[in-house]
Amino acid sequence: DAQLDATKRALVDQYQRLGFSDVEVTIGTSPGGASASDALSAGVQQVDVRIAIEERVQTMVGSILPEGHQSLSEGVLREAMGSKPGAPFYRPQVAVDLQAVLLQYRNRGYRLVAVDPDVRFSEITPCADTAAIPPITDFRFRSMTAGCAKP
């Protein structure tokens, strides 16, 4: 059913935004309960919907390390990015951050600039209670400017 598929996509997206990039969502249906026959006789079909969510491991942003920047301050670059240390890691946000950093350079007249996001994941560390510490993601944004600023 299209509505259930849309619900599943929305749940997966929400959990991914919370750092659960490998979340598994399963939606199942079955005929309604004891009153299902009464509902059918009234022309209404009832179903039970079961939603199972397996979160798996949550990933958090550990650090964001701008490298090679000379024309813009680290503060300007960090402010432009939506990803922040301690926040959940959401892979599509890296692409948004890349565009935001490029825009900062271009708005200052740098026409030729290359920014290379390098995302590194730490290992999962088991705890005494067999749970896992969320992996930490480190961003390294390497930037290299070429070209001239506006006169």
Side-chain angles (χ1 to χ4, degrees):
D1 179 69
Q3 182 65 36
L4 293 177
D5 289 341
T7 299
K8 179 178 178 174
R9 285 191 304 275
L11 285 168
V12 167
D13 182 62
Q14 181 61 34
Y15 272 86
Q16 287 177 341
R17 288 176 185 275
L18 295 172
F20 298 97
S21 60
D22 292 328
V23 65
E24 183 68 35
V25 176
T26 306
I27 299 180
T29 61
S30 61
S35 62
S37 60
D38 294 338
L40 272 175
S41 65
V44 177
Q45 182 180 4
Q46 291 184 339
V47 295
D48 291 330
V49 178
R50 292 174 318 284
I51 300 174
I53 300 171
E54 187 179 342
E55 292 177 343
R56 299 188 180 147
V57 176
Q58 184 180 30
T59 304
M60 308 302 283
V61 175
S63 60
I64 300 174
L65 310 167
E67 297 176 344
H69 59 92
Q70 296 174 356
S71 304
L72 297 181
S73 71
E74 188 171 316
V76 167
L77 297 176
R78 287 180 184 277
E79 183 66 30
M81 292 186 270
S83 296
K84 304 293 182 204
F89 174 72
Y90 181 53
R91 185 165 297 280
Q93 184 63 46
V94 176
V96 173
D97 292 341
L98 171 63
Q99 293 304 313
V101 168
L102 287 171
L103 184 63
Q104 291 299 313
Y105 278 100
R106 290 184 179 135
N107 283 345
R108 288 164 176 79
Y110 294 95
R111 302 289 177 236
L112 303 174
V113 61
V115 180
D116 176 29
D118 179 18
V119 179
R120 300 178 185 182
F121 296 93
S122 67
E123 295 297 319
I124 298 173
T125 308
C127 298
D129 64 358
T130 69
I133 295 174
I136 301 298
T137 303
D138 291 324
F139 285 91
R140 295 184 193 285
F141 274 86
R142 294 188 189 96
S143 61
M144 175 184 74
T145 59
C148 299
K150 291 187 281 191

